[in-house]
C-alpha cells in the first residue's frame, strides 16, 4: 500500500476518534449539569452548543409534547416557522420511528431540513427534532444521528424529572396548605356538645374532604338567650374555609351589637357579597331562643329547613329569605316566630345528609328524613344524632358526595 494511502487512513481514524472523544466529553458535561439540577434554559443552551460546535448542525428545531400540545423549546438558524406548522410537518412523518434523512421528501417545511429525529415512548411521540445546514454535507453520518438521538433522550429525561420533582413539591405544598386549612377550620368549629338547665345541644361535623364548606355555631348571647346557626358555603377547599372563617367573625361581631335577627342576616348578606363579588353564596339557618319567654325567632336563608319535633309531629321551619351573597339587597326577609314547648327538639342539617353518590330518592329523601325524626325525636340530642347517622349508614349505604353537618337541640 502506498505511504500516502496509509497516512490518509490513519488521519481519518484519528479524526473519528477525536470526534467520538468530543461527543463523550459533551455527553459527560451534559450529565454533570443535570446532576447539579441546572436550570432548564441553561440545559437547552448546552444542547444547542453541542449541536452547533460538536455536530456542526447549522439549523435546529426541537419540539416536545406538553399535555395535548407541542412546544418548540429550542430553535436556531434560518427563518423561524410557527410551532403549529412545525408540528404538522412532523406529523406528516408519523410512520417514521427512527432518525431518517429527509432527502426526496416534498413538503414546504420539511424541504428546509436534512434529517428528522423522532422520539417515541410507548408508541407515543414525545419529541421531534429537525436538523440541517451542516458545515460540510458529509458531516452527518449514522453515528452522529444516533448520538443526536441519545442527547435528546438525555435532555428529555432530565426535563421529565424536573417536571415530576416540581409536581411533587406542588403536591406536598398543596397537601400542607390543606392540612393547615383543616386545622384552622377545626379551630373555628365550636364545642360539639352543650347542656344546661334549659337546653341540650349536640353537633356532628363530617367533612367529605379534608376541608369543607359546612359551618355551624352556637352562642349564648346573654343570660336568657341562645343563638345558633348552620350554614353551607358554595364550593370546597381553602377558599370555602377562608370564607367560612370570615363569615363566623362577621356573625359573632354583629350578634354582639345587634339583637334583630333580620338586620343581622341583611348585614351578613352585604359582607359576603362584598368579599366574594357574587362568585360564592351561603345558605343559612339562624335562630335565637329565649328560655324565659320560650320564644323562638329564626330565618331560613335558602337552607335545608330545620325540623321541629314535638309529640310525634315534625314541622319544617321554612320562613326567612333567599341565599345570602347573591343579591345587593335581599328581595324579602320574613323571620319565623313560635313558642317552644318543653320536650321539643329542633334538628338542623346540611344537604350532604341527603345527597348521595347514586340515586337514592326512593329510599332516602326529605319525607324519609321526617319519618326518621319522628321515630327518634324523644331521644336526647346526642342519642338522636347517633340514631340519624346510624340510619343513614345502615339503610341508605350509598356514599355521600358532600360534607355532612347535623346540629340538634333539645329544649328542657
Amino acid at each position: 500500500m502506498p505511504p500516502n494511502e496509509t497516512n490518509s487512513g490513519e488521519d481519518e481514524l484519528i479524526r473519528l476518534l477525536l470526534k467520538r472523544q468530543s461527543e463523550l466529553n459533551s455527553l459527560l458535561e451534559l450529565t454533570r449539569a443535570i446532576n447539579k439540577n441546572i436550570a432548564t434554559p441553561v440545559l437547552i443552551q448546552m444542547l444547542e452548543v453541542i449541536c452547533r460546535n460538536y455536530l456542526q448542525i447549522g439549523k435546529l428545531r426541537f419540539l416536545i409534547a406538553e399535555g395535548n400540545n407541542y412546544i418548540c423549546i429550542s430553535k436556531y438558524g434560518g427563518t423561524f416557522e410557527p410551532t403549529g406548522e412545525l408540528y404538522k410537518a412532523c406529523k406528516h412523518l408519523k410512520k417514521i420511528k427512527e432518525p431518517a434523512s429527509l432527502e426526496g421528501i416534498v413538503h414546504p417545511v420539511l424541504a428546509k431540513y436534512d434529517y428528522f429525529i423522532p422520539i417515541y415512548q410507548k408508541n407515543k411521540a414525545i419529541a421531534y427534532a429537525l436538523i440541517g445546514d451542516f458545515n460540510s454535507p458529509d458531516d452527518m453520518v449514522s453515528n452522529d444521528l444516533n448520538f443526536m438521538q441519545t442527547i435528546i433522550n438525555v435532555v428529555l429525561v432530565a426535563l421529565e424529572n424536573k417536571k415530576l420533582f416540581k409536581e411533587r413539591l406542588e403536591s406536598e405544598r398543596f397537601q400542607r396548605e390543606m392540612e393547615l386549612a383543616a386545622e384552622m377550620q377545626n379551630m373555628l368549629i365550636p364545642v360539639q356538645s352543650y347542656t344546661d338547665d334549659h337546653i341540650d345541644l349536640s353537633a356532628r361535623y363530617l367533612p367529605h374532604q379534608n376541608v369543607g364548606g359546612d359551618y355551624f355555631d352556637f352562642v349564648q348571647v346573654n343570660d336568657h338567650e341562645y343563638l345558633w346557626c348552620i350554614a353551607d358555603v358554595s364550593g370546597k377547599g381553602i377558599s370555602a374555609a377562608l370564607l367560612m372563617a370570615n363569615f363566623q367573625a362577621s356573625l359573632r361581631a354583629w350578634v354582639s351589637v345587634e339583637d334583630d335577627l333580620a338586620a343581622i342576616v341583611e348585614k351578613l348578606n352585604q359582607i359576603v357579597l362584598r368579599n366574594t363579588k357574587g362568585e360564592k353564596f351561603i345558605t343559612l339557618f339562624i335562630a335565637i331562643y329565649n328560655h324565659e319567654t320560650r320564644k323562638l325567632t329564626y330565618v331560613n336563608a335558602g337552607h335545608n329547613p330545620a325540623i321541629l319535633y314535638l309529640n310525634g309531629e315534625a314541622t319544617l321551619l321554612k320562613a326567612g329569605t333567599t341565599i345570602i351573597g347573591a343579591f345587593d339587597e335581599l328581595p324579602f326577609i320574613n323571620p319565623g316566630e313560635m313558642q317552644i314547648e318543653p320536650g321539643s327538639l329542633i334538628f338542623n342539617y346540611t344537604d350532604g345528609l341527603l345527597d348521595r353518590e347514586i340515586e337514592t330518592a326512593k329510599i332516602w329523601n326529605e319525607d324519609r328524613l321526617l319519618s326518621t325524626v319522628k321515630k327518634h325525636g324523644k331521644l336526647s340530642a346526642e342519642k338522636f344524632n347517633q340514631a340519624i347517622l346510624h340510619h343513614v349508614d345502615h339503610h341508605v349505604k350509598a356514599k355521600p358526595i358532600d360534607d355532612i353537618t347535623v346540629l340538634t337541640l333539645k329544649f328542657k
Side-chain angles (χ1 to χ4, degrees):
M1 181 179 293
N4 60 339
E5 291 186 12
T6 301
N7 292 337
S8 176
E10 290 176 353
D11 290 344
E12 178 63 20
L13 180 59
I14 291 172
R15 190 184 76 83
L16 289 175
L17 287 174
L18 290 174
K19 189 172 184 179
R20 296 288 87 80
Q21 182 64 46
S22 296
E23 291 174 354
L24 289 174
N25 288 340
S26 63
L27 186 59
L28 181 60
E29 291 175 12
L30 192 62
T31 54
R32 282 176 176 171
I34 292 171
N35 290 335
K36 292 179 181 179
N37 195 29
I38 196 167
T40 298
V42 179
L43 193 63
I44 299 303
Q45 288 178 0
M46 292 186 68
L47 171 67
E48 293 175 353
V49 168
I50 293 172
C51 292
R52 286 179 186 268
N53 298 338
Y54 294 155
L55 298 176
Q56 302 295 303
I57 297 172
K59 183 161 59 177
L60 167 70
R61 305 291 184 267
F62 183 22
L63 288 77
I64 65 170
E66 187 174 84
N68 296 323
N69 299 313
Y70 280 75
I71 59 173
C72 187
I73 63 170
S74 176
K75 56 184 178 181
Y76 68 80
T79 303
F80 298 147
E81 308 88 344
T83 301
E85 290 185 11
L86 288 170
Y87 172 63
K88 289 179 181 178
C90 292
K91 288 289 286 183
H92 184 73
L93 304 173
K94 61 183 179 181
K95 293 183 179 180
I96 299 177
K97 306 297 184 182
E98 299 292 337
S101 170
L102 294 175
E103 185 177 358
I105 299 293
V106 179
H107 188 282
V109 174
L110 298 176
K112 301 176 185 179
Y113 300 89
D114 297 308
Y115 291 94
F116 170 66
I117 303 175
I119 305 294
Y120 278 81
Q121 186 180 77
K122 296 181 179 179
N123 296 320
K124 179 184 178 182
I126 60 172
Y128 298 113
L130 292 168
I131 55 178
D133 290 356
F134 302 101
N135 290 347
S136 169
D138 299 326
D139 276 346
M140 181 56 65
V141 297
S142 60
N143 284 336
D144 295 327
L145 283 175
N146 290 334
F147 178 70
M148 181 70 182
Q149 187 178 33
T150 298
I151 61 171
I152 288 177
N153 269 306
V154 170
V155 170
L156 285 174
V157 169
L159 294 178
E160 181 64 20
N161 288 339
K162 284 177 177 290
K163 178 183 176 183
L164 293 174
F165 181 69
K166 182 180 179 181
E167 288 175 351
R168 190 183 74 183
L169 288 180
E170 290 176 351
S171 176
E172 291 175 353
R173 188 183 301 113
F174 176 75
Q175 182 61 33
R176 181 54 185 156
E177 288 177 354
M178 294 297 288
E179 290 172 357
L180 289 173
E183 291 173 9
M184 177 189 72
Q185 192 171 39
N186 286 333
M187 288 189 291
L188 295 175
I189 297 297
V191 62
Q192 297 188 13
S193 63
Y194 174 86
T195 186
D196 61 19
D197 293 339
H198 312 288
I199 198 169
D200 178 24
L201 175 146
S202 174
R204 293 284 189 90
Y205 172 55
L206 306 173
H208 184 246
Q209 300 173 346
N210 287 341
V211 181
D214 282 8
Y215 163 67
F216 71 91
D217 209 345
F218 175 78
V219 181
Q220 184 166 358
V221 181
N222 49 51
D223 291 340
H224 52 275
E225 286 186 317
Y226 307 90
L227 177 144
W228 74 90
C229 74
I230 188 168
D232 190 355
V233 179
S234 64
K236 298 288 179 289
I238 296 174
S239 62
L242 291 174
L243 179 57
M244 186 191 80
N246 180 270
F247 182 79
Q248 183 194 51
S250 301
L251 171 64
R252 293 205 167 202
W254 278 105
V255 166
S256 66
V257 297
E258 177 65 69
D259 56 5
D260 185 334
L261 205 55
I264 291 174
V265 172
E266 189 64 62
K267 290 294 183 182
L268 290 174
N269 178 66
Q270 295 171 8
I271 292 170
V272 174
L273 185 65
R274 183 171 65 247
N275 289 339
T276 67
K277 305 298 188 296
E279 295 180 359
K280 287 185 179 294
F281 61 86
I282 295 177
T283 66
L284 169 72
F285 180 91
I286 185 169
I288 293 179
Y289 172 65
N290 186 315
H291 69 76
E292 287 188 344
T293 62
R294 304 198 71 88
K295 178 183 175 182
L296 174 74
T297 304
Y298 72 90
V299 172
N300 185 345
H303 196 76
N304 300 85
I307 302 173
L308 170 66
Y309 168 85
L310 178 64
N311 297 328
E313 296 297 325
T315 305
L316 296 175
L317 306 184
K318 296 182 178 182
T321 184
T322 185
I323 58 177
I324 63 175
F327 304 97
D328 292 335
E329 293 185 8
L330 294 172
F332 62 91
I333 182 165
N334 303 311
E337 293 184 358
M338 62 178 58
Q339 292 298 119
I340 297 297
E341 299 296 329
S344 298
L345 176 143
I346 293 182
F347 176 57
N348 312 262
Y349 66 97
T350 55
D351 55 9
L353 185 67
L354 296 178
D355 296 341
R356 300 283 137 172
E357 283 185 349
I358 59 176
E359 182 60 42
T360 58
K362 293 182 179 180
I363 62 171
W364 186 237
N365 50 40
E366 189 178 78
D367 290 338
R368 295 298 180 100
L369 176 59
L370 286 171
S371 298
T372 309
V373 170
K374 293 177 183 178
K375 180 179 179 181
H376 302 290
K378 293 182 179 181
L379 297 175
S380 67
E382 172 62 21
K383 290 184 177 180
F384 176 86
N385 284 344
Q386 292 176 359
I388 291 291
L389 296 176
H390 180 272
H391 176 89
V392 173
D393 289 340
H394 290 78
H395 296 279
V396 182
K397 295 183 179 179
K399 294 181 180 180
I401 58 175
D402 203 352
D403 311 320
I404 297 175
T405 300
V406 293
L407 172 64
T408 301
L409 299 96
K410 189 83 171 187
F411 298 90
K412 301 178 180 179

